[in-house]
Amino acid sequence: MSKRKKSSFYKLLEYAKPYKGKLYFVSFWAIFLAIITALRPFLLNFTIDNYLVETKKETNIIQQYFEGFMHYFFSGNDNATNLKTLVVIMFIALVLEAISQFYFTYLANWLGQDIIKDLRDKLYNHITSFKMKYFDNEPVGKLVTRSVSDIESIASIFSQGLFMIVSDVLKMIIVIVFMLVVNWKITGIVLLIMPLILIATNIFNRKMKVAFKEVRNEVANLNTFVQERLTGMKIVQLFNREKIELEKFKEINEKHNKAWLKNILYNSIFFPIADIISNISIGLVVYFGAIWIINGDTDTTIGQLVAFNMYITMLYNPLRQIADKFNVMQMGIVAADRVFEILDTEDNVQDKGCIKAIHFKGLIQLKEVRFSYIKNEEVLKGINLEVKPGETIAIVGSTGAGKSTIINLLNRFYEIDSGEITIDNQNIKSYTLESLRKQIAIVLQDVFLFSDSIYNNITLHNKEITRENVIAAAKKIGVHDFIMTLPGGYDYNVKERGVMLSSGQRQLIAFLRAYVSNPSILILDEATSSIDTHSEELIQKATETITQNRTSIVIAHRLATIVNASKIIVMDKGQIVEFGKHNELINKPNGYYKKLYDSQFAVEVE
């Protein structure tokens, strides 16, 4: 196991510490199971040699004590009665073995599920704390694979791997001890054959290590491809790309198939080899044991040969299973490497602020702010901007000018390269991240709704916002009547991404969502660029209400949302090129805003 994998394995063990009680119980049942399993052949050996076949034999001191105890226990009874009693004892041992197997398996799986529950919670929490830049570079399908299938693979380390391997090793050790007690010569034959299966197991494990890594890579690629195509299905069908995408899918699926076939091939080779070695051991034991018995060797008995038949199966089956469980372990550790790669990624927003924002007056200042999504390619080039409390400003400019970037930085979705952003004369990093974002509400052009009711999409399960608050706000905006026309009203399920609503209706829900959160600062990021006239009228009515005595920033391409702004900021290529009121800017000869107005906004007027 490599250093990296050891590191991941030991990190996983840290998650077992809160469950020491279950870990002790699992250990107890593993030890008890190993002992009770090895006891049955020992009892069978005693039964055959003492009550079925008259045997003269030499016994070691442990056998002498055991047989002395058994004869004392059975003294006064005839052989038939003693035989029945021994059969009952062996049956009780079998029942105890089944009970211990149940508790061991159940507790091991329970412990594994508890551990991955904690790990999954931590992973999800860690992912949600990342900067937006991380999601710009990482496929969503990959993160879904890490959070779901990779986590389940990690669970198998505990439920089917580690504890099972420990249990099997204990069984093998105790079986070898019993074998040595019963007959050390026959045990020597078995142990001479064992290196063969150990070598085969070692080769098998090394091959499977590579195969499992390849499988996990192909699973991630497959998940990423499917997730992206399902999300963009409208584009796939709109541009008649079904056949093209199917061919791409077949190519990825073929690689996935080949990775698994390699896995299957190694399994198909190893297990028959293990069976052959096991059967060779049994054959050699029977052959040499029979010769010794025929030659009058009193150290070897028929009962021992029968017992060794069982012991060899008990010895080699766990060895076979250990190889298989090492595969499970290997797949789990590869998955753990991937999960811890994300957990070890320090790309989250540093929430070191100690000031809890209760309510902002709304003074926003950007001082020489520079920012780049890609190193050395600045999007904002020394921006200086001030928004006064209660003021409504509009930011306009061509695509890529840096308008939305300012909003992303204000919410700390990204961190600035240099400069300073303050709200109410405090650097935004001084505020706790939760309280900062709670005081800023954003309505985006591309509205995301969850597969849930309209009410839950508005409140986002915030218990502080009551249904009465939502209905009152909806009536104030003028959205209530539209919602009540839907089946179930506020309990209407909009399905995934809100597909049951039109783009204008989704925009209204998003606006209501922002309104009921009662923010100190409101941001409309092109929120009216894709809605119909009726919806826009409702938005305008709501905007007039919600922006009263509240700092507001409007990023828009439509004239109606700009002309009444306190100030218009005109941006181009990451810089502020003009600012002022609409009437001032429109009268500037050859001004950037005038050109923008003439090319885009004048069409609306016409």
Side-chain angles (χ1 to χ4, degrees):
M1 206 178 286
S2 69
K3 187 176 181 181
R4 173 79 182 268
K5 287 181 171 57
K6 282 185 179 179
S7 176
S8 295
F9 180 70
Y10 289 127
K11 285 177 185 176
L12 283 174
L13 292 182
E14 292 292 319
Y15 286 85
K17 285 184 178 179
Y19 305 102
K20 286 183 179 177
K22 288 178 187 173
L23 190 58
Y24 292 147
F25 275 116
V26 170
S27 302
F28 166 78
W29 286 111
I31 295 168
F32 184 76
L33 177 62
I35 294 171
I36 202 71
T37 300
L39 184 61
R40 286 190 297 109
F42 195 79
L43 289 170
L44 183 62
N45 175 24
F46 175 80
T47 303
I48 292 172
D49 287 345
N50 287 276
Y51 296 103
L52 295 180
V53 180
E54 291 187 8
T55 305
K56 293 181 180 180
K57 61 176 180 177
E58 294 181 9
T59 56
N60 57 49
I61 189 167
I62 297 175
Q63 288 176 308
Q64 289 173 10
Y65 276 117
F66 175 76
E67 292 186 6
F69 169 76
M70 295 297 285
H71 287 308
Y72 174 79
F73 181 76
F74 289 125
S75 61
N77 298 327
D78 57 34
N79 283 358
T81 303
N82 290 339
L83 183 60
K84 289 177 184 178
T85 304
L86 282 166
V87 169
V88 170
I89 291 172
M90 283 188 281
F91 177 75
I92 292 171
L94 188 63
V95 171
L96 289 174
E97 183 181 343
I99 292 171
S100 57
Q101 181 72 57
F102 164 75
Y103 278 111
F104 170 70
T105 304
Y106 178 73
L107 289 171
N109 279 273
W110 186 3
L111 178 58
Q113 289 300 318
D114 281 340
I115 289 169
I116 66 161
K117 174 180 67 68
D118 295 343
L119 186 60
R120 188 184 285 116
D121 285 344
K122 185 173 181 179
L123 178 64
Y124 180 80
N125 183 57
H126 192 67
I127 289 175
T128 56
S129 70
F130 281 147
K131 302 172 188 174
M132 285 297 133
K133 187 176 181 179
Y134 181 85
F135 300 102
D136 295 339
N137 299 322
E138 293 292 337
V140 174
K142 174 184 172 182
L143 296 177
V144 171
T145 302
R146 301 293 177 268
S147 303
V148 182
S149 60
D150 280 344
I151 290 286
E152 287 301 325
S153 295
I154 291 172
S156 64
I157 290 178
F158 297 96
S159 59
Q160 301 172 42
L162 176 63
F163 297 132
M164 298 299 177
I165 289 173
V166 171
S167 174
D168 287 341
V169 169
L170 276 173
K171 283 181 186 176
M172 290 171 64
I173 292 171
I174 292 174
V175 163
I176 291 173
V177 169
F178 270 82
M179 288 167 64
L180 289 169
V181 169
V182 172
N183 190 309
W184 66 269
K185 288 194 296 185
I186 299 179
T187 304
I189 295 172
V190 176
L191 294 180
L192 281 173
I193 303 298
M194 275 194 71
L196 294 177
I197 198 166
L198 290 174
I199 292 169
T201 302
N202 183 49
I203 295 171
F204 177 64
N205 284 336
R206 284 192 281 109
K207 293 291 184 182
M208 290 303 293
K209 188 183 299 182
V210 177
F212 279 134
K213 192 169 184 179
E214 190 175 337
V215 166
R216 297 315 305 168
N217 283 334
E218 295 307 327
V219 168
N221 291 337
L222 197 61
N223 284 348
T224 299
F225 183 89
V226 172
Q227 190 274 334
E228 286 182 348
R229 270 57 185 183
L230 292 179
T231 303
M233 186 55 67
K234 185 179 288 185
I235 299 298
V236 172
Q237 295 183 353
L238 186 64
F239 288 92
N240 297 313
R241 290 188 57 84
E242 292 91 339
K243 290 183 179 178
I244 296 172
E245 296 300 334
L246 176 60
E247 291 305 314
K248 288 184 178 180
F249 178 80
K250 284 182 178 179
E251 185 180 336
I252 296 172
N253 197 28
E254 181 66 23
K255 290 180 180 178
H256 177 266
N257 178 257
K258 286 180 179 178
W260 269 112
L261 285 176
K262 192 180 291 184
N263 182 301
I264 293 166
L265 174 65
Y266 294 146
N267 277 285
S268 301
I269 293 171
F270 172 75
F271 289 109
I273 289 174
D275 285 336
I276 290 170
I277 295 172
S278 174
N279 289 322
I280 288 173
S281 295
I282 293 173
L284 290 173
V285 165
V286 171
Y287 175 74
F288 284 104
I291 289 177
W292 290 334
I293 291 172
I294 291 169
N295 291 333
D297 185 354
T298 55
D299 288 341
T300 307
T301 67
I302 294 174
Q304 289 175 356
L305 294 185
V306 174
F308 265 86
N309 236 339
M310 296 177 67
Y311 279 135
I312 290 171
T313 303
M314 288 179 178
L315 187 63
Y316 282 163
N317 274 356
L319 200 56
R320 277 186 51 182
Q321 291 167 9
I322 284 173
D324 197 29
K325 285 158 191 173
F326 262 118
N327 298 341
V328 174
M329 282 276 290
Q330 195 59 52
M331 183 172 279
I333 290 172
V334 168
D337 281 342
R338 296 173 179 276
V339 169
F340 282 115
E341 182 183 349
I342 295 176
L343 286 172
D344 293 340
T345 300
E346 296 295 334
D347 201 18
N348 53 316
V349 179
Q350 296 301 310
D351 188 9
K352 296 180 180 179
C354 55
I355 302 174
K356 188 173 182 179
I358 306 300
H359 181 79
F360 289 138
K361 293 178 181 177
L363 174 62
I364 302 172
Q365 293 174 306
L366 280 73
K367 304 171 185 177
E368 285 296 323
V369 172
R370 293 182 178 274
F371 173 76
S372 54
Y373 292 104
I374 302 172
K375 193 174 181 180
N376 299 325
E377 294 183 20
E378 283 191 334
V379 178
L380 297 182
K381 304 171 183 178
I383 293 292
N384 290 287
L385 175 64
E386 179 175 285
V387 186
K388 295 177 181 176
E391 188 176 41
T392 298
I393 72 161
I395 304 178
V396 299
S398 59
T399 302
K403 307 183 298 296
S404 296
T405 299
I406 291 177
I407 307 310
N408 289 332
L409 297 179
L410 192 60
N411 282 273
R412 294 193 65 198
F413 293 143
Y414 299 85
E415 298 289 16
I416 61 177
D417 297 339
S418 63
E420 185 181 36
I421 302 176
T422 65
I423 298 179
D424 292 350
N425 296 314
Q426 288 283 351
N427 191 304
I428 58 173
K429 293 182 180 179
S430 301
Y431 297 108
T432 62
L433 194 61
E434 181 183 2
S435 66
L436 172 69
R437 291 178 177 172
K438 193 172 183 180
Q439 293 303 315
I440 303 174
I442 306 180
V443 180
L444 300 170
Q445 178 185 3
D446 183 19
V447 177
F448 188 94
L449 297 181
F450 296 95
S451 179
D452 206 336
S453 67
I454 286 179
Y455 174 73
N456 287 335
N457 268 291
I458 293 168
T459 63
L460 297 178
H461 297 277
N462 185 345
K463 295 180 180 179
E464 295 177 5
I465 303 173
T466 65
R467 185 175 286 261
E468 290 73 23
N469 296 145
V470 172
I471 293 172
K475 287 179 178 178
K476 203 166 185 178
I477 293 176
V479 184
H480 177 73
D481 292 339
F482 137 65
I483 294 175
M484 294 309 294
T485 61
L486 300 171
Y490 288 88
D491 296 315
Y492 179 66
N493 193 313
V494 300
K495 305 300 181 183
E496 188 175 358
R497 301 181 70 89
V499 294
M500 304 304 291
L501 302 178
S502 69
S503 58
Q505 290 171 333
R506 290 197 296 270
Q507 201 66 258
L508 290 169
I509 297 301
F511 205 93
L512 184 55
R513 176 196 288 170
Y515 187 21
V516 297
S517 66
N518 192 28
S520 302
I521 298 170
L522 173 68
I523 297 171
L524 304 180
D525 188 357
E526 301 185 3
T528 61
S529 63
S530 61
I531 61 176
D532 54 57
T533 305
H534 175 67
S535 297
E536 185 177 359
E537 289 173 0
L538 292 175
I539 292 291
Q540 291 305 319
K541 177 184 176 183
T543 302
E544 292 172 6
T545 304
I546 197 172
T547 55
Q548 287 180 2
N549 302 317
R550 181 180 280 115
T551 303
S552 304
I553 300 174
V554 180
I555 298 174
H557 285 158
R558 303 184 73 159
L559 178 62
T561 56
I562 296 175
V563 294
N564 296 323
S566 307
K567 181 167 54 179
I568 298 173
I569 307 297
V570 186
M571 294 189 66
D572 182 42
K573 297 178 181 177
Q575 295 178 314
I576 296 175
V577 293
E578 290 178 345
F579 64 90
K581 289 183 176 295
H582 171 72
N583 291 332
E584 296 171 0
L585 296 174
I586 200 66
N587 291 317
K588 278 188 177 182
N590 299 318
Y592 192 95
Y593 179 78
K594 179 173 173 55
K595 290 178 183 178
L596 196 65
Y597 175 85
D598 290 340
S599 63
Q600 296 182 32
F601 300 142
V603 177
E604 289 186 49
V605 177
E606 293 176 5

